[in-house]
Amino acid sequence: MSITTTTTSLAFLLAALSYLLLFSSPPKPHFHTLFLSPSFSDNASIALNLRTLTRRPHVAGSEANAEAAAFVLSSFTSSSLKTRLVSYQVSLTYPLHRSLVLTPKHSAEPITFALKQEHVGDNIYANEVTPTFHGYAKSGNVSGPVAYANYGRVQDFAGLNVSGAVVVARYGEIYRGDIVRNAYGAGAVGVVIYTDKRDYGGGGDECFPASKWMPPSGVQVGTVYNGLGDPTTPGWASVDGCERLSEEDVERSGDSPGIPSLPISAGDAEVILKSIVGDVADGDVNPVGPGPGILNLSYIGKTVIAKIENVIGVIEGKEEPDRYVILGNHRDAWSFGAVDPNSGTAVLLEIAQRLDKLLRRGWKPRRTIILCNWDAEEYALIGSTEWVEENREMLASRAVAYLNVDCGVSGPGFRASATPQLDELIKQAAREVQDPDNTTQTVYDSWVGSSNSGVIGRLGDLTSDYASFVQHVGVPSTDMRFGGGYPVYHSMYDDFTWMKKFGDPTFQRHVAVASVLGLVALRLADEEVLPFNYVTYASELMKSAEDLEKDNLGHGIDVSPLLKSIQDLSTAAQMINIEKEGVKGALKVRELNDRLMMAERALTDRDGLSGRTWYKHLVYGPAKYDEYGSKSFPGIDDAIDNAKRLETEVSWRLVQHEIWRVSRAVRHASLVLKECLAAECLAVECLAVECLSADVNVLCVLQNKLKGTLH
């Protein structure tokens, strides 16, 4: 070969190498680091987006909410997402007439309450706020002696005679719909629920706009429906021309309230309470009544079929476009919604803008990323539930995870809830992000040093849009925020001014939430092997099962099947963690990822919870008497409550049946992780336990033997 030929070949190789270096993408971790860099974040843009979103009150079904949807759609489009609106026709309610009149004593002059929040700020659109009401409240005109039932829990009604009474209860412990249901079950004819200044007023004289606390006239509105999704289409999507239940059928379903209700202010409640207990002291008032005050409650609502709009934005995956990492937040608000939900909307738009910057630098996700902005969440998680019901089969086979942000920021302090296989991933992401309130620490450092010590909550409640993903389909999910409960929740004072003065003056907490949530999304979308850890899941379930065993229920109840199935899950989780270290080849990786993804689905049951069949997840679900409460093994818990009430042999046998149901579901998850049929798994179970203490090479021998039995 001549020198000229050699030189030409070398020049060609150098040119090809230069081309590859110029046009090939850097490794994915490089892009993840870029995503977190200060040059990618924009707190000023977040503030501007939040101000735009909260300019007017935008309850679901309103023109203002449609304008907010158009703004989100435009923002997604400008961030290079493939966008579309997904509309549903759903049943919503609005107030037509409200009145509340107190007659303190039979001879006293009646007191008519204004039922109006005082305009205390400088918001020029305050007059557009919908009059205070409860979504899906029952219409009616009722009168009765006043009875005070504290937080409206089941125990608060014990020993309290409320038959024929109008109950006064306060927010703060359980879901308002459960307060109404508990009062109805106790024989009350109506309910008013107030925002107690001891819980929301700070105990002092200062209130918004001078401080963060709820003004005396402030009212927490919200829904009192006890189900999910459009009440007229339970279990199927509310598309044009679909089947619908009649209003009578909806009422008979058991999820609609049985008596009228109204939300009222602390100031109005104080006047009412004086009619039964005299001067209201600063300390707690024990449940008391009924009478002598008489309360007349009148409410007439209007039910309409209204158009709602979910905004969907998609970044298609390069290697696995049929695997979905889904991020979501709802847009609709009872009033201005600066915290709930549009701090989360601003976070979602910030993530979209950062992903656009990555795309412009050559990044492409391995898996498809879908950003969802839901509508009508406040009424009954409707937008997300209808979408999940419409796409149930697709999500069951393709959804990797759902990442939720609702009240993205309400103050300092990072908080997270998740299905347990995501715990370690969330902690790792939090270690990568600077804490917005202490620049010498990471979010993780501040989190573990806080009062909740880095504890990750669970997602069995119905407080936000993860509910349908977890409890109906079985999709691994998480929810993140900065701050906890806040005083002006669901009132007209939850506006941009409150956020700017008290929630996040610099909007750096919004930046931090976007960073942690976005990094979790990137790792789920980009890592070759999904970063799930089911060892954490098994440990969490074992704690719950051991707590159940410690209850010493008697009646021949045996928890050992559940304990054994969880131990099997722990073994399978350890095996697949070791297997992840040595997996090679696209098909092998795909198959392993499918097992990691589908194990959560195995914890669902097609028959659902007894008496609550829409909820399919047997490990995480809402407490029966508090939809804000999250329960491990909700079916077992329901059965125990029922058995303790009935004390019959049949009711206790049902407790054992529920234990067996959960045991089977956990075993199904183990089989998915092990990648074998039940009989084949039994044949190698002992060998698997021995191999866990050996090295990876021994495990590979086990895997080869196992695969041999399958073919």
Side-chain angles (χ1 to χ4, degrees):
M1 181 182 294
S2 68
I3 294 176
T4 302
T5 304
T6 303
T7 303
T8 302
S9 300
L10 182 60
F12 176 80
L13 288 172
L14 288 172
L17 181 60
S18 299
Y19 180 88
L20 288 172
L21 289 173
L22 181 62
F23 292 101
S24 63
S25 296
K28 293 295 174 70
H30 166 76
F31 290 114
H32 298 181
T33 301
L34 268 181
F35 181 86
L36 300 179
S37 65
S39 63
F40 265 52
S41 64
D42 191 347
N43 62 326
S45 175
I46 291 172
L48 180 60
N49 286 337
L50 185 62
R51 183 185 290 276
T52 302
L53 288 161
T54 60
R55 187 174 65 93
R56 296 173 62 192
H58 48 287
V59 70
S62 67
E63 178 187 344
N65 199 40
E67 290 175 359
F71 174 74
V72 173
L73 182 74
S74 174
S75 298
F76 277 1
T77 302
S78 65
S79 295
S80 304
L81 276 66
K82 296 178 181 177
T83 59
R84 65 183 185 275
L85 288 176
V86 179
S87 302
Y88 299 100
Q89 300 292 328
V90 304
S91 175
L92 302 177
T93 68
Y94 305 96
L96 286 179
H97 165 77
R98 310 159 304 132
S99 72
L100 190 66
V101 180
L102 171 70
T103 304
K105 296 178 181 178
H106 293 296
S107 60
E109 284 293 317
I111 300 170
T112 300
F113 297 100
L115 302 179
K116 187 176 182 180
Q117 299 181 88
E118 182 184 351
H119 182 197
V120 298
D122 57 358
N123 198 314
I124 62 173
Y125 293 102
N127 63 322
E128 293 185 8
V129 173
T130 305
T132 55
F133 79 114
H134 281 148
Y136 300 117
K138 183 180 179 66
S139 294
N141 189 327
V142 297
S143 293
V146 181
Y148 173 67
N150 198 23
Y151 289 111
R153 300 163 295 189
V154 171
Q155 60 265 37
D156 291 322
F157 286 98
L160 181 65
N161 178 18
V162 300
S163 181
V166 176
V167 165
V168 179
R170 57 175 167 155
Y171 288 111
E173 287 293 328
I174 66 172
Y175 168 59
R176 69 187 73 80
D178 289 312
I179 296 175
V180 177
R181 181 166 58 182
N182 293 342
Y184 174 67
V189 297
V191 185
V192 293
I193 310 175
Y194 73 99
T195 308
D196 197 306
K197 65 181 181 181
R198 290 166 292 176
D199 298 314
Y200 296 89
D205 295 328
E206 276 201 344
C207 60
F208 181 77
S211 75
K212 69 177 182 178
W213 300 106
M214 178 82 95
S217 69
V219 178
Q220 180 193 135
V221 301
T223 186
V224 289
Y225 182 62
N226 284 300
L228 266 70
D230 181 350
T232 68
T233 61
W236 64 91
S238 299
V239 297
D240 283 337
C242 70
E243 176 189 8
R244 287 190 189 277
L245 301 185
S246 67
E247 287 191 37
E248 292 76 18
D249 289 336
V250 170
E251 197 163 313
R252 284 193 291 268
S253 71
D255 287 328
S256 295
I259 52 178
S261 66
L262 277 175
I264 63 173
S265 68
D268 289 348
E270 187 171 339
V271 174
I272 296 170
L273 291 177
K274 282 182 180 179
S275 73
I276 53 175
V277 299
D279 288 335
V280 180
D282 289 336
D284 284 342
V285 177
N286 293 322
V288 64
I294 302 295
L295 202 58
N296 173 253
L297 185 165
S298 178
Y299 173 76
I300 300 174
K302 175 178 66 173
T303 301
V304 301
I305 300 299
K307 179 181 178 181
I308 65 168
E309 297 175 317
N310 294 335
V311 186
I312 309 296
V314 179
I315 302 174
E316 189 170 320
K318 183 178 181 182
E319 290 91 351
E320 298 182 76
D322 61 341
R323 292 293 178 264
Y324 306 150
V325 176
I326 306 168
L327 295 86
N329 152 270
H330 77 94
R331 177 185 68 259
D332 66 296
W334 289 117
S335 59
F336 296 100
V339 174
D340 183 9
N342 297 132
S343 60
T345 314
V347 166
L348 194 68
L349 296 182
E350 164 74 2
I351 291 172
Q353 289 166 6
R354 291 200 213 176
L355 294 179
D356 179 37
K357 292 175 183 177
L358 291 183
L359 288 167
R360 294 174 188 276
R361 285 163 174 76
W363 166 80
K364 291 182 180 178
R366 179 184 181 90
R367 303 176 184 93
T368 294
I369 296 175
I370 304 175
L371 274 62
C372 305
N373 184 231
W374 311 117
D375 202 351
E377 186 268 2
E378 295 293 3
Y379 276 86
L381 314 185
I382 294 178
S384 59
T385 300
E386 301 308 309
W387 192 78
V388 167
E389 289 175 343
E390 184 174 27
N391 298 285
R392 182 189 298 112
E393 304 310 319
M394 187 79 77
L395 293 171
S397 63
R398 297 186 176 190
V400 171
Y402 174 70
L403 315 179
N404 192 66
V405 56
D406 189 333
C407 302
V409 178
S410 60
F414 180 74
R415 297 166 186 255
S417 298
T419 47
Q421 74 274 68
L422 293 174
D423 285 5
E424 291 305 313
L425 175 59
I426 293 167
K427 291 176 182 178
Q428 290 167 11
R431 288 187 179 100
E432 298 294 319
V433 178
Q434 186 182 75
D435 184 79
D437 298 297
N438 185 346
T439 56
T440 66
Q441 293 186 319
T442 66
V443 167
Y444 180 79
D445 294 332
S446 297
W447 183 22
V448 296
S450 66
S451 58
N452 66 2
S453 302
V455 173
I456 295 178
R458 298 303 166 215
L459 298 176
D461 58 72
L462 304 183
T463 57
S464 195
D465 291 299
Y466 47 75
S468 296
F469 290 91
V470 176
Q471 296 157 29
H472 195 59
V473 180
V475 176
S477 299
T478 185
D479 181 75
M480 298 181 197
R481 65 185 297 173
F482 257 79
Y486 63 105
V488 296
Y489 173 68
H490 279 194
S491 75
M492 69 178 291
Y493 309 113
D494 180 9
D495 63 8
F496 185 82
T497 298
W498 191 94
M499 177 63 74
K500 185 72 173 68
K501 292 181 71 172
F502 308 113
D504 191 9
T506 65
F507 291 88
Q508 290 297 338
R509 292 168 187 160
H510 286 75
V511 170
V513 176
S515 295
V516 179
L517 190 69
L519 183 57
V520 169
L522 284 173
R523 289 196 58 191
L524 288 167
D526 283 342
E527 291 197 6
E528 186 178 36
V529 177
L530 291 174
F532 289 169
N533 186 354
Y534 281 91
V535 173
T536 307
Y537 215 131
S539 298
E540 183 85 6
L541 296 189
M542 187 61 76
K543 291 175 188 175
S544 298
E546 289 172 348
D547 288 342
L548 182 63
E549 187 179 38
K550 290 174 186 175
D551 287 343
N552 295 318
L553 296 170
H555 302 276
I557 299 300
D558 182 12
V559 184
S560 63
L562 180 57
L563 294 170
K564 183 182 184 305
S565 67
I566 295 170
Q567 186 56 57
D568 290 345
L569 178 65
S570 179
T571 301
Q574 293 174 64
M575 287 174 62
I576 201 167
N577 277 357
I578 298 173
E579 186 180 350
K580 284 162 65 175
E581 297 298 320
V583 65
K584 293 181 180 179
L587 290 178
K588 299 286 187 183
V589 169
R590 172 80 166 195
E591 178 274 325
L592 187 144
N593 282 336
D594 283 350
R595 286 188 277 146
L596 290 167
M597 184 178 73
M598 298 304 292
E600 185 75 44
R601 314 280 200 276
L603 296 172
T604 63
D605 186 286
R606 61 188 170 193
D607 294 329
L609 299 180
S610 179
R612 299 189 285 163
T613 57
W614 189 91
Y615 305 99
K616 307 297 184 185
H617 209 288
L618 298 190
V619 171
Y620 293 117
K624 193 168 187 177
Y625 298 103
D626 176 19
E627 293 187 0
Y628 281 175
S630 175
K631 287 287 185 180
S632 296
F633 315 136
I636 297 175
D637 192 70
D638 289 351
I640 291 172
D641 284 346
N642 187 59
K644 286 181 176 178
R645 188 176 67 256
L646 299 177
E647 284 294 349
T648 64
E649 181 182 350
V650 171
S651 65
W652 284 106
R653 282 208 306 267
L654 286 174
V655 173
Q656 188 64 60
H657 171 64
E658 290 297 332
I659 290 173
W660 276 111
R661 287 187 74 201
V662 179
S663 303
R664 288 190 287 270
V666 175
R667 176 167 171 75
H668 293 160
S670 300
L671 294 175
V672 170
L673 290 178
K674 290 176 183 177
E675 192 212 1
C676 59
L677 301 176
E680 294 160 341
C681 280
L682 275 174
V684 296
E685 199 168 66
C686 293
L687 180 59
V689 173
E690 293 173 7
C691 282
L692 284 175
S693 60
D695 60 20
V696 176
N697 291 330
V698 176
L699 183 66
C700 289
V701 173
L702 167 64
Q703 292 165 352
N704 290 333
K705 288 183 178 180
L706 185 56
K707 293 180 190 301
T709 63
L710 283 172
H711 294 290

